[in-house]
Amino acid sequence: MKSLKELYKIGRGPSSSHTMGPEKAAKLFEEANKNASSFKVVLYGSLAQTGKGHGTDVVLAKTFTKPVDVLFDLKEKDLPHPNTLDMFALDNSGNTLAKWRVLSVGGGAIEIVGEKVKLAQDVYSHKNFEQIREYCEDNSLSLYDYAKRFEPDIDEYLAKIWEQMQKSIWKGLDKKGTLPGGLNVERKAQYLFSQVDAHETPETRENRIVCAYAFAVSEQNAAGGTIVTAPTCGSSGILPAVLRYEQERHGFSNENIIRALATAGIIGNIVKENASISGAECGCQAECGTACSMAAAAIASLYEMSLDQIEYAAEVAMEHHLGLTCDPVGGLVQIPCIERNAVSAMRAINAASLASFLSSTRQISFDTVVETMYSTGKDINSRYRETAEAGLAQKYCKSRLKKEK
């Protein structure tokens, strides 16, 4: 598995696979072809179908320092990954000097087909939870200790990650107005946070605050603000929301939060290594499902639960996202994405609570549910995997057309 620095990345929204991945590819490709006069990029699959809504073409135009022509190919179906793009370096006459086929595999990570380009290398020598658990038990390590053994300097990086997560919350809470993109979605985080109800119980107030934090980050992401991939842009509100809530409610120190981030990162890395965190490849179960597992494990870590309990929390969180589709209205990371972050944040808290009582009754391993998520994602019709061709994306459009008539 790769470094946690490859999982947690600070960048601009709204989509790690549609903006951060192509941006990284463009920088590498231009660096490798400094003699080119211009460039051409052809987007396929989900990148072609929702690239306009996600601003893929805008990011590419801003990233290349020389002229670039961005084309959307909606016909090609025989692709190695739903987020595939071809990049061409051209001379003055338009002849091709070099070509890369790039896969944007989620969380801002990319793979370059057939090219020996130096990308992130493996840091961890284990692949799944069972292997990690065995190693931790043999060496009397927590998951945080495990991360530190392979990445001794990770605390400093995670401190920066936590700082940015909090900034995203506060900036989101400070904003009002309508999100860009044409759907006229109103920002709701500030309203949720400040709303006062005389009949509100302490429990419902706490639920509202968690949701407000998740809305705040997700709305920042939707507006192209700076967030942390956890593990993706589209699911970036879940982990910050539960960690900020737990810190405020129980006074956990920043050092406690850093330990929890490391634990969550190991969980996210397991999914990334053995399945996918890409909505275009496996639906929203791969994004919000993984983020929910990370958040549930983080909470369990804060309360110093056992490895069994942490695994159970992560497993329950993922299991109850199985089959969740990715059908963004208008190809934008707004409907249903923003609300989904809030719902998944609450589910993470519930999963951790169940784990504190029921881990001894567990029959499904985290590795099994990750494997199941991946196979389920592959079975989901491509129309429901970040293409905006079906589901809410289409129902919303039809409903809106009727109203306009």
Side-chain angles (χ1 to χ4, degrees):
M1 299 191 302
K2 294 177 174 56
S3 168
L4 298 187
K5 296 174 184 178
E6 292 297 314
L7 184 77
Y8 294 123
K9 297 176 182 175
I10 298 173
R12 285 189 170 274
S15 170
S16 45
S17 60
H18 284 61
T19 54
M20 292 174 66
E23 179 183 32
K24 181 177 182 179
K27 288 179 179 177
L28 289 172
F29 190 60
E30 186 164 28
E31 178 65 24
N33 295 280
K34 295 179 179 179
N35 295 328
S37 297
S38 63
F39 297 91
K40 181 174 75 173
V41 179
V42 183
L43 305 175
Y44 304 98
S46 175
L47 288 177
Q49 290 162 309
T50 59
K52 281 286 184 184
H54 288 82
T56 308
D57 53 339
V58 175
V59 167
L60 288 169
K62 288 181 178 180
T63 304
F64 280 105
T65 62
K66 295 177 181 177
V68 58
D69 186 18
V70 181
L71 305 176
F72 295 80
D73 187 328
L74 298 169
K75 297 180 179 179
E76 181 64 43
K77 302 297 182 184
D78 186 19
L79 302 168
H81 189 279
N83 290 327
T84 297
L85 58 154
D86 285 337
M87 312 185 87
F88 301 85
L90 308 175
D91 63 16
N92 284 322
S93 301
N95 299 311
T96 299
L97 300 174
K99 174 189 174 183
W100 281 4
R101 168 154 282 194
V102 180
L103 315 180
S104 185
V105 296
I110 62 171
E111 295 177 6
I112 303 170
V113 179
E115 293 289 335
K116 293 182 179 179
V117 178
K118 189 176 181 181
L119 297 173
Q121 303 299 308
D122 285 341
V123 171
Y124 296 89
S125 56
H126 305 96
K127 184 175 181 179
N128 57 35
F129 194 93
E130 189 58 36
Q131 292 173 2
I132 293 170
R133 178 224 291 280
E134 184 177 347
Y135 182 85
C136 288
E137 289 176 343
D138 288 346
N139 293 276
S140 299
L141 301 174
S142 67
L143 288 181
Y144 166 72
D145 295 329
Y146 172 79
K148 284 283 286 183
R149 179 162 290 193
F150 287 90
E151 297 194 78
D153 63 342
I154 197 62
D155 282 10
E156 184 179 352
Y157 183 79
L158 292 180
K160 293 178 182 177
I161 290 300
W162 177 231
E163 182 180 359
Q164 180 56 56
M165 284 180 167
Q166 293 179 93
K167 284 181 180 177
S168 299
I169 291 174
W170 303 135
K171 286 185 177 180
L173 290 175
D174 192 47
K175 297 285 180 64
K176 287 183 178 180
T178 303
L179 293 170
L183 293 180
N184 298 317
V185 174
E186 291 288 332
R187 285 179 177 263
K188 304 178 184 72
Q190 186 180 114
Y191 174 80
L192 272 175
F193 185 74
S194 59
Q195 178 71 4
V196 177
D197 185 345
H199 303 290
E200 190 175 45
T201 66
E203 182 181 7
T204 55
R205 179 190 179 281
E206 290 173 358
N207 292 349
R208 174 172 57 79
I209 296 302
V210 175
C211 291
Y213 291 159
F215 265 79
V217 179
S218 297
E219 287 170 357
Q220 280 297 96
N221 176 66
T226 302
I227 49 80
V228 174
T229 58
T232 65
C233 289
S235 60
S236 59
I238 299 166
L239 185 56
V242 299
L243 288 178
R244 184 61 199 171
Y245 161 75
E246 291 292 343
Q247 186 174 57
E248 289 179 340
R249 186 187 185 200
H250 295 289
F252 289 112
S253 67
N254 284 336
E255 288 72 22
N256 295 142
I257 298 297
I258 287 169
R259 294 172 70 91
L261 280 170
T263 299
I266 296 299
I267 294 298
N269 255 359
I270 291 170
V271 181
K272 189 176 179 180
E273 176 73 20
N274 296 282
S276 174
I277 57 171
S278 167
E281 188 172 15
C282 287
C284 198
Q285 58 171 359
E287 297 200 37
C288 282
T290 302
C292 189
S293 286
M294 291 169 64
I299 297 169
S301 170
L302 285 173
Y303 289 98
E304 298 183 349
M305 294 188 197
S306 67
L307 278 172
D308 269 350
Q309 290 172 314
I310 291 173
E311 180 182 10
Y312 187 73
E315 180 265 310
V316 169
M318 176 65 79
E319 185 176 10
H320 298 288
H321 280 82
L322 290 178
L324 188 60
T325 60
C326 181
D327 48 357
V329 173
L332 300 167
V333 192
Q334 298 180 18
I335 303 172
C337 319
I338 296 172
E339 288 178 353
R340 189 166 286 171
N341 272 252
V343 171
S344 293
M346 294 305 306
R347 184 169 290 180
I349 294 170
N350 293 335
S353 178
L354 284 174
S356 67
F357 297 104
L358 302 178
S359 64
S360 62
T361 67
R362 177 175 59 86
Q363 297 190 35
I364 303 294
S365 70
F366 182 62
D367 290 336
T368 297
V369 83
V370 169
E371 181 182 347
T372 302
M373 185 275 284
Y374 190 55
S375 60
T376 301
K378 290 296 187 180
D379 286 340
I380 294 174
N381 189 296
S382 63
R383 286 158 52 82
Y384 296 91
R385 287 191 270 125
E386 208 172 359
T387 59
E389 292 182 303
L392 287 175
Q394 288 301 306
K395 294 294 183 183
Y396 177 90
C397 291
K398 290 179 181 178
S399 174
R400 191 168 182 176
L401 283 173
K402 285 182 179 179
K403 288 180 180 179
E404 289 176 354
K405 288 180 180 179

